Every structure is written in structure tokens, then in C-alpha cells.
């Protein structure tokens, strides 16, 4: 029996947040509904953040209210502070995510706080989630390099990942935010992180800026990771990371894993239909 690898679909949130066209809530809802038919166990739907900073996510509540929920799928939302967490809970999110960084410069640019300040800000969110039994996922951005500060020491990534684990995050997603990673740098980073966080609590989040995302996934597989974030149609990027054009495409990762002999449990025909929908949203022809 083939070993299982999970793809965590992040296109509706991490993918769409960087699109120039303000995408109507109805299109976002239709995309999530299409993705719900693919076979994902987890889908990141939206982000409860200030619309001043991320206007594409201003309709988060409406999107969460409009999706057709399928049993067995966890519909996730980014909630970086208590205000966002309360809104996510009210909207019916099944889990929330907090978004840290291994780079001081990126942390300041992304959330206007130092790494230490960001962790202090996340602590009450995790505590509030734990009080109601809601899972919290942690992200560490700039796990390889930062658009402002250059290469990031693996030990810096490990420190943030360990802090998020100790805080109570059930899983830590390690993000190559600008797609600068290569198998060797990914391997060094994972060796440092795996020394302080169990591998089965880690996920990989790769951007394909340099065309090496699949090779980086292979390196992560070799280190024992079995969860990878990806965005349908390769949507996305980060508003605060110049040069990060998009996440690695879900459909590319799914087929790559299949060739390598792993089982994702995804319906590739249904996935291709969602890819076509995502392409239409990007082109304005949804």
C-alpha cells in the first residue's frame, strides 16, 4: 500500500491574497466549493486580518458563511490576533493559523512587530483556541531566505518553530516565502528544526520562484515530512515579499507525488476543474 502524503490546500487564502484584481466573494466561495470536491482534508479559506493591509481578505466573514461545508474537511482561517480569532470563531472556522517569521526584517514588514513581540501576540490566540478545543497551526515564513535580510540561519527557524510548538500549535508549516530554497539549504534548515520539533509535526510550504519547489519537496520527503502546502493553479505570493510570485501548484505537486509512489487521496479530475476555475479568477474570466 502506498505511503500517504497530505496536500494542505492554501490557494483560497495564501493564493488569492496577492491577486491584483479584487475578487468577489461569490468567486471565492465557488472556488472553495470546487476544492471541497477534490478530496482535501484541510483547506485554508481566508484570513481575518485588517482590510486596510490585506484588502483582498476584507470579505472573510462572507466567504466563510457562503461555502458549502463537506463533512471530513477542516476549513481553516488565518487569525493573527484576538480580534481576528474572535471573528474566525464567529464565522465558523474549524481551525486557525498564526503566522510568524524567522526574519526580524520580514516580521516588521509583515505584521509590524519583532519576532518576540509577534510570539507574545500569538500566545493569547492559542490560549483562547485551546479553551474551546480549536486546533491552531503555526507558520514560519522566511525559513530559507528573506527579501530584506537575505539568507536566514537554520537555527533562527528552529527557535521560532520550537516556540510555536511549545505554545500549543499542532503543526508547524515552514515557508520558503520567496522561493529561494534549494535542496541543500532545505535539508540544512530541516535538520536544525527536526532537532527541536518532531518531524511528524512539520509541514513544507514552498514557492516555485526559482523552479526548485519539487526538488525541495523531495528533500523534505527525504527528511520525513509528509504534509505540504500548495495552491491550486499556483496562485499567490505574499504582499510583503517582493519576488514571491506564487505557491507551488497543487496539481503539479499531486502528480509529482503520484509519480514518486505516494498516495494523496485527491481526485485529479476534480482538481483540474478547480485549476481551470482558479485560472479564470486570475484572468478575470471566472
Amino acid at each position: 500500500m502506498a505511503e500517504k502524503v497530505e496536500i494542505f490546500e492554501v490557494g483560497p487564502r495564501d493564493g488569492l491574497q496577492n491577486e491584483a484584481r479584487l475578487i468577489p466573494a461569490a468567486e471565492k466561495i465557488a472556488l472553495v466549493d470546487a476544492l471541497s470536491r477534490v478530496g482535501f482534508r484541510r483547506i485554508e479559506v481566508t484570513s481575518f486580518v485588517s482590510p486596510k493591509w490585506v484588502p483582498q481578505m476584507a470579505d472573510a466573514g462572507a466567504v466563510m458563511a457562503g461555502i458549502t461545508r463537506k463533512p471530513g474537511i477542516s476549513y481553516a482561517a488565518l487569525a493573527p490576533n484576538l480580534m481576528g480569532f474572535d471573528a474566525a470563531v464567529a464565522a465558523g472556522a474549524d481551525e486557525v493559523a498564526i503566522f510568524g517569521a524567522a526574519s526580524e526584517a520580514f516580521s516588521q514588514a509583515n505584521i509590524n512587530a519583532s519576532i518576540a513581540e509577534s510570539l507574545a501576540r500569538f500566545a493569547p490566540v492559542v490560549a483562547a483556541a485551546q479553551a474551546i478545543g480549536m486546533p491552531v497551526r503555526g507558520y514560519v515564513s522566511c525559513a530559507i531566505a528573506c527579501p530584506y535580510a537575505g539568507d536566514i540561519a537554520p537555527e533562527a527557524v528552529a527557535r521560532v518553530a520550537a516556540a510555536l510548538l511549545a505554545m500549543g500549535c499542532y503543526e508547524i508549516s515552514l515557508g520558503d516565502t520567496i522561493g529561494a530554497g534549494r535542496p541543500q539549504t532545505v535539508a540544512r534548515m530541516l535538520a536544525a528544526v527536526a532537532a527541536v520539533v518532531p518531524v511528524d509535526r512539520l509541514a513544507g510550504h514552498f514557492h516555485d520562484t526559482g523552479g526548485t519547489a519539487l526538488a525541495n519537496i523531495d528533500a523534505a520527503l527525504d527528511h520525513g515530512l509528509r504534509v505540504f502546502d500548495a495552491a491550486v493553479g499556483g496562485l499567490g505570493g505574499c504582499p510583503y515579499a517582493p519576488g514571491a510570485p506564487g505557491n507551488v501548484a497543487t496539481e503539479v505537486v499531486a502528480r509529482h507525488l503520484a509519480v514518486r509512489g505516494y498516495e494523496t487521496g485527491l481526485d485529479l479530475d476534480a482538481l483540474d476543474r478547480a485549476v481551470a476555475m482558479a485560472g479564470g479568477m486570475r484572468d478575470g474570466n471566472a
Side-chain angles (χ1 to χ4, degrees):
M1 187 174 179
E3 187 176 1
K4 292 183 178 180
V5 172
E6 182 186 358
I7 298 177
F8 190 130
E9 176 56 53
V10 300
R13 196 283 299 178
D14 194 26
L16 295 182
Q17 71 174 4
N18 206 38
E19 292 299 308
R21 180 177 76 96
L22 199 60
I23 297 169
E27 292 183 26
K28 297 174 183 176
I29 291 166
L31 179 62
V32 175
D33 287 350
L35 292 167
S36 292
R37 295 187 284 271
V38 173
F40 296 105
R41 191 169 68 85
R42 295 178 286 176
I43 300 173
E44 194 171 64
V45 176
T46 190
S47 181
F48 287 89
V49 294
S50 169
K52 175 183 177 182
W53 300 114
V54 189
Q56 191 70 261
M57 299 287 110
D59 56 4
V63 172
M64 288 295 295
I67 62 175
T68 300
R69 296 170 186 252
K70 186 173 180 180
I73 300 176
S74 178
Y75 294 94
L78 186 70
N81 52 44
L82 277 175
M83 182 179 296
F85 172 76
D86 288 341
V89 171
D94 295 309
E95 63 178 88
V96 294
I98 53 179
F99 203 101
S103 160
E104 289 287 355
F106 187 81
S107 185
Q108 291 286 354
N110 193 34
I111 59 173
N112 195 32
S114 69
I115 293 173
E117 288 168 341
S118 73
L119 293 171
R121 187 181 298 174
F122 297 150
V125 175
V126 178
Q130 289 175 329
I132 61 171
M134 178 180 282
V136 181
R137 191 177 199 238
Y139 282 98
V140 183
S141 58
C142 299
I144 299 294
C146 168
Y148 311 109
D151 293 343
I152 299 298
E155 294 74 21
V157 185
R159 283 194 296 271
V160 178
L164 291 172
L165 181 71
M167 197 178 291
C169 292
Y170 77 89
E171 185 173 82
I172 315 298
S173 178
L174 304 169
D176 181 14
T177 307
I178 58 172
R182 300 296 181 268
Q184 298 85 349
T185 54
V186 169
R188 285 197 294 272
M189 180 271 291
L190 289 176
V193 176
V196 293
V197 178
V199 172
D200 62 1
R201 304 285 290 275
L202 297 174
H205 183 113
F206 296 102
H207 287 230
D208 204 26
T209 315
T212 58
L214 294 181
N216 293 338
I217 286 173
D218 286 343
L221 285 166
D222 291 344
H223 273 75
L225 272 68
R226 293 297 181 266
V227 178
F228 296 95
D229 300 350
V232 60
L235 288 171
C238 175
Y240 300 98
N247 298 282
V248 64
T250 303
E251 63 277 13
V252 173
V253 176
R255 288 182 166 89
H256 178 73
L257 291 170
V259 168
R260 286 210 52 184
Y262 293 100
E263 173 60 54
T264 64
L266 302 183
D267 180 334
L268 296 184
D269 291 335
L271 177 56
D272 286 341
R273 289 190 287 272
V275 170
M277 185 179 292
M281 293 169 73
R282 170 179 279 162
D283 299 335
N285 298 315

